[in-house]
Amino acid sequence: TGTVVRTGQVKMCKSAQEFVCGRCKWRVWVRCRLEDGGVAPAPMMCGSGDACAGGRFKAAPDGQAFTGFQEIKVCQTSHCVYAHIRPF
């Protein structure tokens, strides 16, 4: 338990990216990882099920999803810690 003593601005971060197969135009959504800087890795192979052997994907410019996040500072009884960071 603790008390929130400070909050930061709400920031936007890309949460998913849509990719399009260069061969059959199959579209797939891939989740972004915050640990990788908000970048979604392109799929390695096409999963359309139409025997497409395509492996080149391009990011769809209109296929992006975003989410908001906020950093908070929490004070516990003896010391303060930042959210998502373990105390020493």
Side-chain angles (χ1 to χ4, degrees):
T1 61
T3 304
V4 175
V5 294
R6 185 175 16 171
T7 60
Q9 295 279 336
V10 175
K11 299 177 185 175
M12 298 304 289
C13 180
K14 190 181 345 179
S15 61
Q17 174 69 54
E18 186 178 28
F19 288 91
V20 180
C21 176
R23 187 175 207 177
C24 70
K25 306 301 182 214
W26 180 69
R27 299 171 87 86
V28 62
W29 282 90
V30 178
R31 289 184 155 261
C32 298
R33 292 184 45 155
L34 189 59
E35 296 84 16
D36 297 333
V39 177
M44 299 299 284
M45 54 191 325
C46 186
S48 66
D50 296 333
C52 176
R56 291 189 168 194
F57 284 85
K58 290 186 178 180
D62 59 338
Q64 297 179 356
F66 292 88
T67 187
F69 73 96
Q70 187 175 28
E71 293 181 347
I72 62 171
K73 183 177 180 181
V74 178
C75 275
Q76 294 179 340
T77 55
S78 61
H79 60 283
C80 293
V81 295
Y82 284 94
H84 306 294
I85 298 175
R86 292 182 177 171
F88 297 107

Coordinates of all heavy atoms in Angstrom, one line a residue:
T1 N 0.8 -1.2 0.0 CA 0.0 0.0 0.0 C 0.9 1.2 0.0 O 2.0 1.2 0.4 CB -0.9 0.0 1.2 OG1 -0.1 0.1 2.4 CG2 -1.9 -1.1 1.2
G2 N 0.4 2.3 -0.5 CA 1.1 3.6 -0.5 C 0.2 4.7 -1.0 O -1.0 4.5 -1.2
T3 N 0.7 5.8 -1.1 CA 0.0 7.0 -1.6 C 0.6 7.6 -2.8 O 1.8 7.8 -2.9 CB 0.0 8.1 -0.4 OG1 -0.5 7.5 0.8 CG2 -0.8 9.3 -0.8
V4 N -0.2 7.9 -3.8 CA 0.3 8.5 -5.0 C 0.5 10.0 -4.7 O -0.4 10.7 -4.3 CB -0.8 8.4 -6.2 CG1 -0.3 9.2 -7.4 CG2 -1.0 6.9 -6.5
V5 N 1.8 10.4 -4.9 CA 2.1 11.8 -4.6 C 2.4 12.6 -5.8 O 2.4 13.9 -5.7 CB 3.4 11.8 -3.6 CG1 3.1 11.2 -2.3 CG2 4.6 11.2 -4.3
R6 N 2.6 12.0 -6.9 CA 2.8 12.8 -8.2 C 2.4 12.0 -9.4 O 2.7 10.8 -9.4 CB 4.3 13.2 -8.3 CG 4.6 14.1 -9.4 CD 6.0 14.6 -9.5 NE 6.9 13.9 -8.7 CZ 8.2 14.1 -8.7 NH1 8.7 14.9 -9.6 NH2 9.0 13.4 -8.0
T7 N 1.9 12.6 -10.3 CA 1.5 11.9 -11.6 C 2.1 12.8 -12.7 O 2.2 14.0 -12.7 CB 0.0 11.8 -11.8 OG1 -0.6 13.1 -11.8 CG2 -0.6 10.9 -10.7
G8 N 2.5 12.1 -13.8 CA 3.0 12.8 -15.0 C 1.9 13.0 -16.0 O 0.8 12.7 -15.8
Q9 N 2.3 13.6 -17.1 CA 1.4 13.9 -18.2 C 1.0 12.6 -18.8 O 1.7 11.6 -18.8 CB 2.0 14.7 -19.2 CG 2.4 16.1 -18.8 CD 1.2 17.1 -18.9 OE1 0.3 16.8 -19.6 NE2 1.2 18.1 -18.1
V10 N -0.3 12.5 -19.3 CA -0.7 11.3 -20.1 C 0.0 11.3 -21.4 O 0.0 12.3 -22.1 CB -2.2 11.3 -20.2 CG1 -2.6 10.1 -21.1 CG2 -2.9 11.2 -18.9
K11 N 0.7 10.2 -21.7 CA 1.4 10.2 -23.0 C 0.8 9.1 -23.9 O 0.3 8.1 -23.4 CB 2.9 9.8 -22.7 CG 3.6 10.9 -21.9 CD 5.0 10.5 -21.6 CE 5.7 11.5 -20.6 NZ 7.0 11.1 -20.2
M12 N 0.9 9.2 -25.2 CA 0.4 8.2 -26.1 C 1.6 7.3 -26.6 O 2.7 7.8 -26.8 CB -0.2 8.9 -27.3 CG -1.4 9.8 -27.0 SD -2.7 8.9 -26.1 CE -3.3 7.9 -27.3
C13 N 1.3 6.1 -26.7 CA 2.2 5.1 -27.1 C 1.5 4.1 -28.1 O 0.4 3.7 -27.9 CB 2.7 4.3 -25.9 SG 4.0 3.0 -26.3
K14 N 2.2 3.8 -29.2 CA 1.7 2.9 -30.2 C 1.5 1.5 -29.5 O 2.5 1.0 -29.0 CB 2.5 2.8 -31.4 CG 1.8 2.0 -32.5 CD 2.6 1.8 -33.8 CE 3.7 2.6 -34.1 NZ 4.3 2.3 -35.4
S15 N 0.3 0.9 -29.6 CA 0.1 -0.4 -29.0 C 0.0 -1.6 -30.0 O 0.2 -2.7 -29.6 CB -1.1 -0.4 -28.1 OG -2.3 -0.1 -28.9
A16 N -0.3 -1.2 -31.2 CA -0.4 -2.3 -32.3 C -0.2 -1.7 -33.6 O -0.4 -0.5 -33.8 CB -1.8 -3.0 -32.2
Q17 N 0.3 -2.5 -34.6 CA 0.5 -2.1 -36.0 C -0.1 -3.1 -36.9 O 0.1 -4.3 -36.7 CB 2.0 -1.9 -36.2 CG 2.4 -1.6 -37.6 CD 2.0 -0.2 -38.1 OE1 2.3 0.8 -37.4 NE2 1.3 -0.1 -39.2
E18 N -0.7 -2.7 -38.0 CA -1.2 -3.6 -39.0 C -0.2 -3.7 -40.1 O 0.4 -2.7 -40.5 CB -2.6 -3.1 -39.5 CG -3.2 -4.0 -40.4 CD -4.6 -3.5 -40.9 OE1 -4.8 -2.3 -41.0 OE2 -5.4 -4.4 -41.2
F19 N 0.0 -5.0 -40.5 CA 0.9 -5.2 -41.6 C 0.2 -5.9 -42.8 O -0.8 -6.6 -42.6 CB 2.0 -6.2 -41.2 CG 3.0 -5.5 -40.3 CD1 2.9 -5.6 -38.9 CD2 4.2 -4.9 -40.8 CE1 3.8 -5.0 -38.0 CE2 5.1 -4.3 -39.9 CZ 4.9 -4.3 -38.6
V20 N 0.6 -5.6 -44.0 CA 0.0 -6.2 -45.2 C 1.0 -7.0 -46.0 O 2.2 -6.6 -46.2 CB -0.5 -5.0 -46.1 CG1 -1.2 -5.6 -47.4 CG2 -1.4 -4.1 -45.4
C21 N 0.6 -8.2 -46.4 CA 1.5 -9.1 -47.1 C 1.7 -8.5 -48.5 O 0.7 -8.1 -49.2 CB 0.9 -10.5 -47.3 SG 1.8 -11.6 -48.3
G22 N 2.9 -8.4 -49.0 CA 3.1 -7.9 -50.3 C 2.7 -8.7 -51.5 O 2.5 -8.2 -52.6
R23 N 2.4 -10.0 -51.2 CA 2.0 -10.9 -52.3 C 0.5 -11.0 -52.4 O -0.1 -10.8 -53.5 CB 2.6 -12.2 -52.1 CG 2.4 -13.2 -53.2 CD 3.2 -14.4 -53.0 NE 3.5 -15.0 -54.2 CZ 4.2 -16.1 -54.4 NH1 4.7 -16.7 -53.3 NH2 4.5 -16.6 -55.5
C24 N -0.2 -11.4 -51.3 CA -1.6 -11.7 -51.4 C -2.5 -10.6 -50.7 O -3.7 -10.7 -50.7 CB -1.9 -13.0 -50.8 SG -1.7 -13.1 -49.0
K25 N -1.9 -9.6 -50.1 CA -2.5 -8.4 -49.5 C -3.3 -8.8 -48.2 O -4.2 -8.1 -47.7 CB -3.5 -7.7 -50.4 CG -2.9 -7.3 -51.7 CD -1.8 -6.3 -51.5 CE -1.2 -5.9 -52.8 NZ 0.2 -5.7 -52.8
W26 N -2.9 -10.0 -47.6 CA -3.5 -10.4 -46.3 C -3.0 -9.4 -45.3 O -1.9 -9.0 -45.2 CB -3.0 -11.8 -46.0 CG -3.5 -12.4 -44.7 CD1 -4.8 -12.7 -44.4 CD2 -2.8 -12.7 -43.5 NE1 -4.9 -13.2 -43.2 CE2 -3.7 -13.2 -42.6 CE3 -1.4 -12.5 -43.2 CZ2 -3.3 -13.6 -41.3 CZ3 -1.0 -12.9 -41.9 CH2 -1.9 -13.4 -41.0
R27 N -3.9 -9.1 -44.4 CA -3.6 -8.1 -43.3 C -3.6 -8.8 -41.9 O -4.5 -9.6 -41.7 CB -4.7 -7.0 -43.4 CG -4.7 -6.2 -44.7 CD -5.8 -5.2 -44.8 NE -5.5 -3.9 -44.2 CZ -4.9 -2.9 -44.9 NH1 -4.6 -3.1 -46.1 NH2 -4.7 -1.8 -44.3
V28 N -2.7 -8.4 -41.1 CA -2.6 -8.9 -39.8 C -2.2 -7.8 -38.8 O -1.4 -7.0 -39.1 CB -1.6 -10.1 -39.7 CG1 -0.2 -9.7 -40.1 CG2 -1.6 -10.8 -38.3
W29 N -2.7 -7.9 -37.6 CA -2.4 -6.9 -36.5 C -1.3 -7.6 -35.6 O -1.4 -8.7 -35.3 CB -3.6 -6.5 -35.7 CG -4.5 -5.5 -36.3 CD1 -5.5 -5.8 -37.1 CD2 -4.4 -4.1 -36.2 NE1 -6.1 -4.7 -37.6 CE2 -5.4 -3.6 -37.0 CE3 -3.5 -3.3 -35.6 CZ2 -5.6 -2.2 -37.2 CZ3 -3.7 -1.9 -35.7 CH2 -4.8 -1.4 -36.5
V30 N -0.3 -6.8 -35.3 CA 0.8 -7.2 -34.4 C 0.9 -6.3 -33.2 O 0.9 -5.0 -33.4 CB 2.1 -7.3 -35.1 CG1 3.2 -7.8 -34.2 CG2 2.0 -8.3 -36.3
R31 N 0.9 -6.8 -32.0 CA 1.1 -5.9 -30.8 C 2.5 -5.4 -30.7 O 3.4 -6.1 -30.9 CB 0.7 -6.7 -29.5 CG -0.7 -7.0 -29.4 CD -1.0 -7.7 -28.1 NE -2.4 -7.5 -27.7 CZ -2.8 -6.6 -26.8 NH1 -1.9 -5.9 -26.2 NH2 -4.0 -6.4 -26.6
C32 N 2.6 -4.2 -30.3 CA 3.9 -3.5 -30.0 C 4.3 -3.9 -28.6 O 3.5 -4.0 -27.7 CB 3.8 -2.0 -30.2 SG 3.3 -1.5 -31.8
R33 N 5.6 -4.0 -28.4 CA 6.2 -4.2 -27.1 C 6.8 -2.9 -26.6 O 7.7 -2.4 -27.2 CB 7.2 -5.3 -27.1 CG 6.6 -6.7 -27.4 CD 7.6 -7.7 -27.3 NE 8.4 -7.5 -26.1 CZ 9.0 -8.5 -25.5 NH1 9.0 -9.7 -26.0 NH2 9.8 -8.3 -24.5
L34 N 6.4 -2.5 -25.4 CA 6.9 -1.3 -24.8 C 8.4 -1.5 -24.5 O 9.2 -0.5 -24.6 CB 6.2 -1.0 -23.5 CG 6.5 0.4 -22.8 CD1 6.2 1.5 -23.8 CD2 5.7 0.6 -21.6
E35 N 8.8 -2.7 -24.2 CA 10.2 -3.0 -23.9 C 11.1 -2.8 -25.2 O 12.3 -2.6 -25.0 CB 10.4 -4.5 -23.4 CG 9.7 -4.8 -22.1 CD 8.3 -5.1 -22.3 OE1 7.8 -5.4 -23.4 OE2 7.5 -5.0 -21.3
D36 N 10.5 -2.9 -26.3 CA 11.3 -2.7 -27.6 C 11.1 -1.3 -28.1 O 11.4 -1.1 -29.3 CB 10.8 -3.7 -28.6 CG 11.1 -5.2 -28.3 OD1 12.0 -5.4 -27.5 OD2 10.4 -6.1 -28.7
G37 N 10.7 -0.4 -27.3 CA 10.5 1.0 -27.8 C 9.2 1.2 -28.5 O 9.1 2.2 -29.3
G38 N 8.2 0.4 -28.3 CA 6.9 0.6 -29.0 C 6.9 0.2 -30.4 O 6.1 0.7 -31.2
V39 N 7.8 -0.7 -30.8 CA 7.9 -1.1 -32.2 C 7.3 -2.5 -32.3 O 7.6 -3.4 -31.5 CB 9.4 -1.2 -32.7 CG1 9.5 -1.7 -34.1 CG2 10.0 0.2 -32.6
A40 N 6.5 -2.8 -33.4 CA 6.0 -4.1 -33.6 C 6.8 -4.8 -34.7 O 7.1 -4.2 -35.7 CB 4.5 -3.9 -34.2
P41 N 7.2 -6.0 -34.4 CA 8.0 -6.8 -35.4 C 7.1 -7.2 -36.5 O 6.0 -7.7 -36.3 CB 8.6 -8.0 -34.5 CG 7.6 -8.1 -33.4 CD 7.0 -6.8 -33.1
A42 N 7.6 -7.1 -37.7 CA 6.9 -7.6 -38.9 C 6.8 -9.1 -38.9 O 7.7 -9.8 -38.4 CB 7.6 -7.1 -40.2
P43 N 5.7 -9.7 -39.3 CA 5.6 -11.1 -39.4 C 6.6 -11.8 -40.3 O 7.1 -11.1 -41.2 CB 4.2 -11.4 -39.9 CG 3.4 -10.1 -39.7 CD 4.5 -9.0 -39.8
M44 N 7.0 -13.0 -39.9 CA 8.1 -13.7 -40.7 C 7.5 -14.3 -42.0 O 8.1 -14.4 -43.0 CB 8.7 -14.7 -39.9 CG 9.4 -14.1 -38.6 SD 10.7 -13.0 -39.1 CE 12.0 -14.1 -39.6
M45 N 6.2 -14.8 -41.9 CA 5.6 -15.5 -43.0 C 4.1 -15.2 -43.0 O 3.5 -14.9 -42.0 CB 5.9 -17.0 -43.0 CG 5.5 -17.7 -41.8 SD 6.1 -19.4 -41.6 CE 6.1 -20.0 -43.2
C46 N 3.5 -15.3 -44.2 CA 2.1 -15.1 -44.4 C 1.3 -16.2 -43.8 O 1.6 -17.4 -43.9 CB 1.8 -14.9 -45.9 SG 0.1 -14.4 -46.2
G47 N 0.2 -15.8 -43.1 CA -0.6 -16.8 -42.5 C -2.0 -16.8 -43.1 O -3.0 -17.1 -42.4
S48 N -2.2 -16.4 -44.3 CA -3.5 -16.3 -44.9 C -4.2 -17.6 -45.1 O -5.4 -17.7 -45.3 CB -3.4 -15.5 -46.3 OG -2.7 -16.3 -47.2
G49 N -3.4 -18.7 -45.2 CA -3.9 -20.0 -45.4 C -4.2 -20.3 -46.9 O -4.8 -21.4 -47.2
D50 N -3.9 -19.4 -47.8 CA -4.2 -19.6 -49.2 C -2.9 -20.1 -50.0 O -2.7 -19.8 -51.1 CB -4.7 -18.3 -49.9 CG -6.0 -17.8 -49.3 OD1 -6.8 -18.7 -48.9 OD2 -6.3 -16.6 -49.3
A51 N -2.0 -20.8 -49.3 CA -0.8 -21.3 -49.8 C 0.1 -20.2 -50.3 O 0.8 -20.3 -51.3 CB -1.0 -22.3 -50.9
C52 N 0.0 -19.0 -49.7 CA 0.8 -17.9 -50.0 C 2.2 -18.1 -49.4 O 2.3 -18.3 -48.2 CB 0.2 -16.6 -49.6 SG 1.2 -15.1 -49.9
A53 N 3.2 -17.9 -50.2 CA 4.6 -18.1 -49.7 C 5.2 -16.7 -49.4 O 6.4 -16.6 -49.4 CB 5.4 -18.9 -50.6
G54 N 4.4 -15.7 -49.3 CA 4.9 -14.4 -49.1 C 5.6 -14.2 -47.8 O 5.2 -14.8 -46.8
G55 N 6.6 -13.4 -47.8 CA 7.3 -13.1 -46.5 C 7.7 -11.7 -46.4 O 8.4 -11.3 -45.4
R56 N 7.2 -10.9 -47.3 CA 7.5 -9.4 -47.2 C 6.3 -8.7 -46.8 O 5.3 -8.7 -47.5 CB 8.0 -8.9 -48.6 CG 9.4 -9.5 -48.9 CD 9.9 -8.8 -50.2 NE 11.3 -9.1 -50.3 CZ 12.1 -8.5 -51.1 NH1 11.6 -7.5 -51.8 NH2 13.3 -8.8 -51.2
F57 N 6.4 -8.1 -45.7 CA 5.2 -7.3 -45.1 C 5.6 -5.8 -45.0 O 6.7 -5.5 -44.7 CB 4.9 -7.8 -43.7 CG 4.1 -9.1 -43.7 CD1 4.8 -10.3 -43.8 CD2 2.8 -9.1 -43.7 CE1 4.2 -11.5 -43.8 CE2 2.1 -10.3 -43.7 CZ 2.8 -11.5 -43.8
K58 N 4.6 -5.0 -45.3 CA 4.8 -3.6 -45.1 C 3.8 -3.1 -44.1 O 2.7 -3.6 -44.0 CB 4.5 -2.8 -46.4 CG 5.6 -3.1 -47.5 CD 5.3 -2.2 -48.7 CE 6.4 -2.4 -49.7 NZ 6.2 -1.6 -50.9
A59 N 4.2 -2.1 -43.3 CA 3.3 -1.5 -42.3 C 2.2 -0.7 -43.0 O 2.5 0.1 -43.9 CB 4.1 -0.6 -41.3
A60 N 1.0 -1.0 -42.7 CA -0.2 -0.2 -43.2 C -0.2 1.1 -42.6 O -0.2 1.2 -41.3 CB -1.5 -1.0 -43.0
P61 N -0.1 2.2 -43.4 CA 0.0 3.6 -42.8 C -1.3 3.9 -42.0 O -1.2 4.7 -41.0 CB 0.2 4.5 -44.0 CG -0.2 3.7 -45.1 CD -0.1 2.2 -44.8
D62 N -2.4 3.4 -42.3 CA -3.6 3.7 -41.6 C -4.0 2.7 -40.5 O -5.0 2.8 -39.9 CB -4.8 3.8 -42.6 CG -5.0 2.5 -43.4 OD1 -4.1 1.7 -43.5 OD2 -6.1 2.3 -43.9
G63 N -3.1 1.7 -40.3 CA -3.3 0.6 -39.4 C -2.5 0.7 -38.1 O -1.5 0.0 -37.9
Q64 N -2.8 1.7 -37.3 CA -2.1 1.9 -36.0 C -3.1 2.1 -34.9 O -4.1 2.7 -35.1 CB -1.2 3.1 -36.1 CG -0.1 3.0 -37.1 CD 0.8 4.3 -37.2 OE1 0.5 5.3 -36.5 NE2 1.8 4.3 -38.0
A65 N -2.8 1.5 -33.8 CA -3.6 1.7 -32.6 C -2.7 2.2 -31.5 O -1.6 1.9 -31.3 CB -4.2 0.3 -32.1
F66 N -3.3 3.2 -30.7 CA -2.5 3.8 -29.6 C -3.2 3.7 -28.3 O -4.4 3.4 -28.3 CB -2.4 5.3 -30.0 CG -1.5 5.6 -31.1 CD1 -2.0 5.6 -32.4 CD2 -0.1 5.8 -31.0 CE1 -1.2 5.9 -33.5 CE2 0.7 6.1 -32.1 CZ 0.2 6.1 -33.3
T67 N -2.4 3.7 -27.3 CA -3.0 3.7 -25.9 C -2.3 4.8 -25.1 O -1.2 5.2 -25.4 CB -2.8 2.3 -25.3 OG1 -3.5 2.3 -24.0 CG2 -1.3 2.0 -25.0
G68 N -2.9 5.2 -24.0 CA -2.4 6.3 -23.2 C -1.7 5.6 -21.9 O -2.2 4.6 -21.5
F69 N -0.7 6.2 -21.4 CA -0.1 5.8 -20.2 C 0.4 6.9 -19.4 O 0.5 8.0 -19.9 CB 1.1 4.8 -20.4 CG 2.3 5.4 -21.0 CD1 3.4 5.7 -20.1 CD2 2.5 5.6 -22.3 CE1 4.5 6.3 -20.6 CE2 3.7 6.2 -22.8 CZ 4.7 6.6 -21.9
Q70 N 0.6 6.7 -18.1 CA 0.9 7.8 -17.2 C 1.9 7.2 -16.1 O 1.7 6.2 -15.6 CB -0.3 8.3 -16.5 CG -0.2 9.5 -15.7 CD -1.5 10.0 -15.2 OE1 -2.5 9.2 -15.0 NE2 -1.7 11.3 -15.0
E71 N 3.0 8.0 -15.9 CA 3.9 7.6 -14.8 C 3.4 8.2 -13.5 O 2.9 9.3 -13.5 CB 5.3 8.1 -15.1 CG 5.9 7.5 -16.3 CD 7.3 8.0 -16.6 OE1 7.7 9.0 -16.1 OE2 8.0 7.3 -17.4
I72 N 3.5 7.4 -12.5 CA 3.1 7.9 -11.1 C 4.2 7.6 -10.1 O 5.1 6.8 -10.3 CB 1.8 7.1 -10.7 CG1 2.1 5.6 -10.5 CG2 0.7 7.4 -11.6 CD1 0.9 4.9 -9.8
K73 N 4.2 8.4 -9.1 CA 5.2 8.3 -8.0 C 4.4 7.9 -6.8 O 3.4 8.6 -6.4 CB 6.0 9.5 -7.8 CG 7.0 9.4 -6.7 CD 7.9 10.7 -6.5 CE 8.9 10.5 -5.5 NZ 9.7 11.8 -5.3
V74 N 4.8 6.8 -6.1 CA 4.1 6.3 -4.9 C 5.0 6.4 -3.7 O 6.2 5.9 -3.8 CB 3.7 4.8 -5.2 CG1 3.0 4.3 -3.9 CG2 2.8 4.7 -6.4
C75 N 4.5 6.9 -2.6 CA 5.3 7.0 -1.4 C 4.8 5.9 -0.5 O 3.6 5.9 -0.2 CB 5.2 8.3 -0.7 SG 6.4 9.5 -1.3
Q76 N 5.7 5.1 0.0 CA 5.3 4.1 1.0 C 5.7 4.6 2.4 O 6.1 5.8 2.5 CB 6.0 2.8 0.7 CG 5.5 2.2 -0.6 CD 6.2 0.9 -0.9 OE1 7.2 0.6 -0.4 NE2 5.5 0.1 -1.8
T77 N 5.6 3.8 3.4 CA 5.8 4.4 4.8 C 7.3 4.9 5.0 O 7.4 5.9 5.6 CB 5.6 3.2 5.8 OG1 6.4 2.1 5.5 CG2 4.1 2.9 5.8
S78 N 8.3 4.2 4.5 CA 9.7 4.6 4.8 C 10.4 5.3 3.6 O 11.4 6.0 3.8 CB 10.5 3.4 5.3 OG 10.5 2.5 4.3
H79 N 9.9 5.0 2.4 CA 10.6 5.6 1.2 C 9.7 5.7 0.0 O 8.6 5.2 0.0 CB 11.8 4.7 0.9 CG 11.5 3.3 0.5 ND1 11.2 2.4 1.5 CD2 11.4 2.7 -0.7 CE1 10.9 1.2 0.9 NE2 11.0 1.4 -0.4
C80 N 10.1 6.4 -1.0 CA 9.3 6.6 -2.2 C 9.9 5.8 -3.3 O 11.1 5.6 -3.4 CB 9.3 8.1 -2.6 SG 8.5 9.2 -1.5
V81 N 9.0 5.2 -4.1 CA 9.5 4.4 -5.3 C 8.7 4.9 -6.5 O 7.5 5.4 -6.4 CB 9.3 2.9 -5.1 CG1 10.2 2.4 -4.0 CG2 7.8 2.6 -4.8
Y82 N 9.2 4.7 -7.7 CA 8.5 5.0 -8.9 C 7.8 3.7 -9.4 O 8.3 2.6 -9.2 CB 9.5 5.5 -10.0 CG 9.9 6.9 -9.8 CD1 11.1 7.2 -9.1 CD2 9.1 7.9 -10.3 CE1 11.5 8.5 -8.9 CE2 9.5 9.2 -10.1 CZ 10.7 9.5 -9.4 OH 11.1 10.8 -9.2
A83 N 6.7 3.9 -10.0 CA 5.9 2.7 -10.5 C 6.8 2.0 -11.5 O 7.5 2.6 -12.3 CB 4.6 3.1 -11.1
H84 N 6.7 0.7 -11.5 CA 7.4 -0.2 -12.5 C 8.9 -0.3 -12.2 O 9.7 -0.8 -13.0 CB 7.2 0.2 -13.9 CG 5.7 0.3 -14.3 ND1 4.9 -0.8 -14.3 CD2 5.0 1.4 -14.6 CE1 3.7 -0.4 -14.7 NE2 3.7 0.9 -14.8
I85 N 9.4 0.3 -11.1 CA 10.8 0.2 -10.7 C 10.9 -0.4 -9.3 O 10.3 0.1 -8.4 CB 11.5 1.5 -10.8 CG1 11.5 2.1 -12.2 CG2 13.0 1.4 -10.3 CD1 12.0 3.5 -12.3
R86 N 11.6 -1.5 -9.2 CA 11.8 -2.1 -7.9 C 12.7 -1.3 -7.0 O 13.7 -0.8 -7.4 CB 12.4 -3.5 -8.0 CG 11.5 -4.5 -8.7 CD 12.1 -5.8 -8.8 NE 11.3 -6.7 -9.4 CZ 11.6 -8.0 -9.7 NH1 12.8 -8.4 -9.5 NH2 10.8 -8.8 -10.3
P87 N 12.3 -1.2 -5.7 CA 13.2 -0.5 -4.8 C 14.5 -1.3 -4.5 O 14.5 -2.5 -4.6 CB 12.4 -0.3 -3.5 CG 11.3 -1.4 -3.6 CD 11.1 -1.6 -5.1
F88 N 15.6 -0.6 -4.2 CA 16.8 -1.3 -3.9 C 16.8 -2.1 -2.6 O 16.2 -1.8 -1.7 CB 18.0 -0.3 -3.9 CG 18.2 0.4 -5.2 CD1 17.8 1.7 -5.4 CD2 18.7 -0.3 -6.3 CE1 17.9 2.3 -6.6 CE2 18.9 0.3 -7.5 CZ 18.5 1.6 -7.7

